Amino acid sequence: MSKPKAKTKKIIIPVTGMTCASCAVTVEKALSQLDGVSGAFVNLASEKASVEYDPNRLSARTLAAAVSDTGYGVALEKKTFGLTGMTCASCASHVEKALAGVPGVISVNVNLATEKATVEFPTGAVTMADLKKAVVDAGYGVIETKAEEGAPQPDEVTETTRRELRTLRRKLILAVGIGFFMLLVAVSHFTGDWMPAFLGNKYLLWALATPVQFWAGWQFYKGMWGALKHRTANMNTLIAVGTSAAYLYSVAAILFPAFFSEGGREANIYFDTAAIIIGLILLGRFLEARAKGQTSDAIKKLIGLQARTARVLRQGQETDIPIEEVVVGDIVIVRPGEKVPVDGVVKEGYSSIDESMVTGESLPVEKEAGSQVTGATLNKTGSFRFTATKVGKDTVLAQIIRLVEEAQGSKAPIQRLADVISSYFVPAVIAVASIVFVLWFFLGPAPALTFALLNFVAVLIIACPCALGLATPTAIVVGTGKGAEHGVLIRSGEALETAHKIKAIILDKTGTLTKGQPVVTDVFTVASFTEGDLLTAAASAERGSEHPLGESIFSRAKEQNLKLAEATHFKALPGHGIEARVNGKAVLLGNLKLMRDRDIALDGLEERATTLSGEGKTAMFVSLDGKAAGIIAVADTLKPNSKEAVGRLQRLGLDVIILTGDNQRTAEAIARQVGISSVLADVLPEHKAAAVKKLQAEGKMVAMVGDGINDAPALAQADVGIAIGTGTDVAMEAADVTLISGDLRGVVTAISLSKQTLRTIKQNLFWAFAYNISLIPVAAGVLYFVFGSSGVPAQLQFFLGDFGFLNPVLAAAAMAISSLTVVSNSLRLRSFNPARL
């Protein structure tokens, strides 16, 4: 008999970087050689690889890795969507496995706290319908947002949550109402039958318990069935099995009373136990859902910042339109007190803008023609018009929201450990509960079946690992959100966790410690010339110059409102300076070598230049008609908060190092100003990553802070790369953390936030395990042997009954409290404030 042919799948992989037929052949060969690939064809024109493979032996990740290993890229698409029905870490794990099983999917990340899934796959290889089917088949739901490709919409974020909460509230009211009534009936039975007898009728209690069990509690059965289809178990399994055991035992005791009676006494029924357990668990979930909503307040605040409408100039008319209709190139008008609707460049007008909602900086920023403006910032004083340059998903605000959402959806390494534990935890609990049932049924005292059932249900309910699943993601969500509020964008949970371990921090000098723009710092003149004479001559000669030093002199003259003259006979002298004629006078502006070549007597200025050079400044000599007129010193000055930030980093116990391509003298001058003793100077851009590696080889966890394209390799090499938000997009793309405002104190904020978040995660994990591990033995009935024949003390009988068995109702309450403890502890992070001096 012939062996059945393996079922193959076809996947189209977009390949980037191919330039010739040889490239296509290389990729095709690499794919064909994989064990499990039955056919591979690469089309150079369409830049796509068509691969037939056995999904049981190969994954899309392996195929993509094979392409990458040949030196070419794979165009990947990322999809993020909401999920419903998840209640614990096991649920998140099941959804992850279901999505990972979709042919074509390369990576999956499911976050329980945000209830979102992020799936990555080769562009076009997977449809949303494929992903939705996988989730639904696993027993969970999918929420798709309409505005996925545009700017986020505030209403979409909250409406689904509100709808879920309304449904949950209705179920909660029914379950708690009926459960409370049944509790009163039970109390009446034990305290003198003060309620009418018909209210305790077993058939009435059965009728009341049924809608609680199968309507209010239907979600538990649905979740259990989804897990069973994948041959796994989760929190829903524990609740469904536990409450069903109590419910079905009670039904059987009514239908077959003779079988369940012991010693001529009717068996107890436990409809009240099943109903109250479901009511308490739904109450816990309702409160938990509300609390979890607060953990993502940062995202809601960011989305709520954007303006709803924009006033644009079209065909000479001012028109108010929805923000979604603004297009690049539109002229937008903003009046005092209004929000800037989108990103752009000021065309005309002058104003000051409050950018605190985006950068965290409290002081308004002056804006004039040519200035960049950011959407969602608040116009304070004047009116202005600007040209829209970025709209929709391309605005700074939309990108910040995307980065924060990705960070909140990512997993910290410590969470992966919790996920592994929870994957074994549920099956282990079911096994323990089953053993407890068997032991009490066969070895326990009469009524053995009752004791066995109570302990079985109590163990299942007390051990639900929902708190374990919430311990890490809730803290990550609040932590990254608080970072965004203070102008610190943390790209992943891993970066947030790693930041607290940093031992050394490398600071790029230009643009990080310093402003990155040279300014005139000193002007020295000889006796017969004034500062105005010097600046007028030099700035007139440098007018129109594109050299940064020349621009700084021209800017200084403009600040002093000096009247500049037209320069003639201009000539650049490479490596020396410039010469020109201004107002009929011969002007020389340049270095010491130029002065010596032209035999200019410096009258003591040379010593002054040496002093300035020792301070990290560039000294430029000026001569008029062959006579030394003075020195103009230019330097890239420190940012206002650099010294304060370095001091804070050092107080955190970090080794702070300056890294720069500048010469040793300039680097040391800046280092002295900020109080840094370690300097790496004359480092070429391509060697910056090597400097990071060298420190890592010494066993240190290294952070790198930079702003330029040349810093990108070092940022990627560092354990935590921190980009200055005022720098290049390439640097920000390579970094793990972005400081939106460019203020170096944000590094201190990131490290402090990391420490506090990790401390919260550890506290959460402790409480999650403490509840489960400490109460499982109690639920299993060990206290029966502690109290023995003497019985339980009166003050404990409410909790443990007469024999020392934990009431399953209290087990449900303890489980709900454990989840609320974890979420509430994470919410304490909302009070985080950046460290102050």
Side-chain angles (χ1 to χ4, degrees), residues 478-488 490 496 745-757 759-760 826-836:
V478 181
T480 50
K482 286 309 289 184
E485 282 180 30
H486 293 291
V488 179
I490 300 165
L496 187 61
R745 289 177 299 181
V747 179
V748 185
T749 300
I751 294 171
S752 302
L753 186 59
S754 169
K755 288 185 175 183
Q756 201 159 325
T757 303
R759 193 181 305 124
T760 301
S826 294
L827 287 175
R828 289 192 310 116
L829 275 172
R830 294 199 301 174
S831 63
F832 170 83
N833 266 315
R836 300 289 178 200

Side-chain angles (χ1 to χ4, degrees), residues 86 456 505 516 669:
M86 295 194 304
F456 174 73
I505 185 161

Side-chain angles (χ1 to χ4, degrees), residues 10-16 46-49 60 64 73-79 103-106 119-128 130 149:
K10 190 174 185 179
I11 184 173
I12 306 296
I13 303 176
V15 182
T16 59
S46 64
E47 294 185 306
K48 288 179 180 175
V74 176
L76 297 176
E77 188 177 339
K78 194 180 276 188
K79 213 124 185 125
V105 168
I106 286 177
V119 185
E120 199 169 35
F121 49 87
T123 304
V126 179
T127 65
M128 190 62 214
D130 297 331
E149 297 303 319

Side-chain angles (χ1 to χ4, degrees), residues 13 22 71 99 113-114 125 229 269 396 442 444 510 560 584 656 694 796:
I13 303 176
S22 175
L99 288 169
T114 58
K229 284 197 291 185
I269 58 171
V396 168
F442 288 107
T510 308
Q560 296 190 4
V656 185
K694 189 177 177 184
L796 294 177

Side-chain angles (χ1 to χ4, degrees), residues 284 286-295 466-467 470-475 478 756 760-761 763-764 767 771 816-832:
F286 180 74
L287 296 174
E288 186 185 299
R290 289 181 61 177
K292 279 201 299 187
Q294 292 172 30
T295 64
C466 53
L470 292 168
T472 302
T474 50
V478 181
Q756 201 159 325
T760 301
I761 290 171
Q763 290 166 355
N764 286 350
W767 285 114
Y771 275 103
I817 290 167
S818 70
S819 295
L820 290 173
T821 302
V822 162
V823 176
S824 302
N825 192 43
S826 294
L827 287 175
R828 289 192 310 116
L829 275 172
R830 294 199 301 174
S831 63
F832 170 83

Side-chain angles (χ1 to χ4, degrees), residues 523 525 529-538 557 560 562-564:
V523 178
T525 60
F529 297 97
T530 65
E531 182 177 325
D533 295 335
L534 209 62
L535 283 172
T536 299
Q560 296 190 4
L562 297 175
K563 190 175 180 182
L564 303 184

